[in-house]
């Protein structure tokens, strides 16, 4: 059974940084794309970032481009999302989701197969 788990959320002041981690278990995921999504209260879910299986293709939403960096360690079945220069607009529940497809499908459909439970990120002004 595939399980996806996020960690690293928390409360940070505006301008600060957080690093989210996503780990998968119950399978092999070297050929999966890994995506990060977020959803704030009253807002639609947004695809934030994604990294393809070979790490050569990455995606960032315009709202986080230049501030967030995604990376992966296939040996550890782990993907990291480094978030810098955080603003209150980044406050949301962040979800990791993975699937054996490319990032354009992960982000385009917003419905990858396996999802974590989410980790809360709160940025105070």
């Amino acid at each position: 059974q595939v399980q996806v788990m996020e960690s690293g959320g928390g409360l940070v002041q505006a301008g600060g940084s957080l690093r989210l981690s996503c780990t998968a278990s119950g399978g092999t995921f070297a050929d999966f794309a890994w995506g990060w999504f977020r959803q704030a209260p009253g807002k639609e879910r947004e695809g934030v970032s994604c990294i393809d299986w070979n790490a050569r293709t990455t995606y960032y939403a315009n709202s986080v481009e230049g501030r967030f960096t995604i990376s992966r360690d296939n040996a550890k079945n782990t993907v990291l999302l480094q978030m810098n220069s955080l603003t209150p607009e980044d406050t949301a529940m962040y979800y990791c989701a993975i699937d054996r497809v490319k990032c354009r499908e992960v982000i385009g459909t917003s419905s990858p197969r396996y999802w974590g439970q989410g980790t809360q990120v709160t940025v105070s002004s």
Side-chain angles (χ1 to χ4, degrees):
Q1 181 179 357
V2 174
Q3 291 188 321
V4 178
M5 182 176 297
E6 308 93 338
S7 63
L11 173 64
V12 65
Q13 288 187 332
S17 299
L18 284 173
R19 187 174 69 175
L20 304 185
S21 178
C22 176
T23 301
S25 61
T28 56
F29 310 101
D31 57 346
F32 277 49
W34 296 55
W36 286 97
F37 296 80
R38 68 184 181 185
Q39 189 164 21
K43 294 187 177 181
E44 292 187 356
R45 186 168 60 196
E46 173 188 20
V48 174
S49 184
C50 186
I51 187 165
D52 268 337
W53 70 274
N54 59 9
R56 293 178 183 174
T57 300
T58 57
Y59 164 86
Y60 296 97
N62 289 337
S63 56
V64 306
E65 180 83 50
R67 299 187 298 121
F68 291 12
T69 303
I70 192 168
S71 61
R72 68 185 292 163
D73 184 339
N74 286 342
K76 297 181 179 180
N77 287 338
T78 298
V79 164
L80 301 176
L81 186 68
Q82 179 67 40
M83 307 187 298
N84 298 328
S85 302
L86 287 163
T87 74
E89 287 69 38
D90 295 314
T91 295
M93 184 70 79
Y94 283 71
Y95 299 91
C96 178
I98 65 174
D99 202 345
R100 190 180 279 115
V101 296
K102 294 188 182 297
C103 274
R104 61 174 179 265
E105 295 173 72
V106 168
I107 297 299
T109 65
S110 293
S111 59
R113 190 170 188 180
Y114 303 106
W115 291 78
Q117 294 298 308
T119 185
Q120 178 68 38
V121 171
T122 303
V123 185
S124 63
S125 58

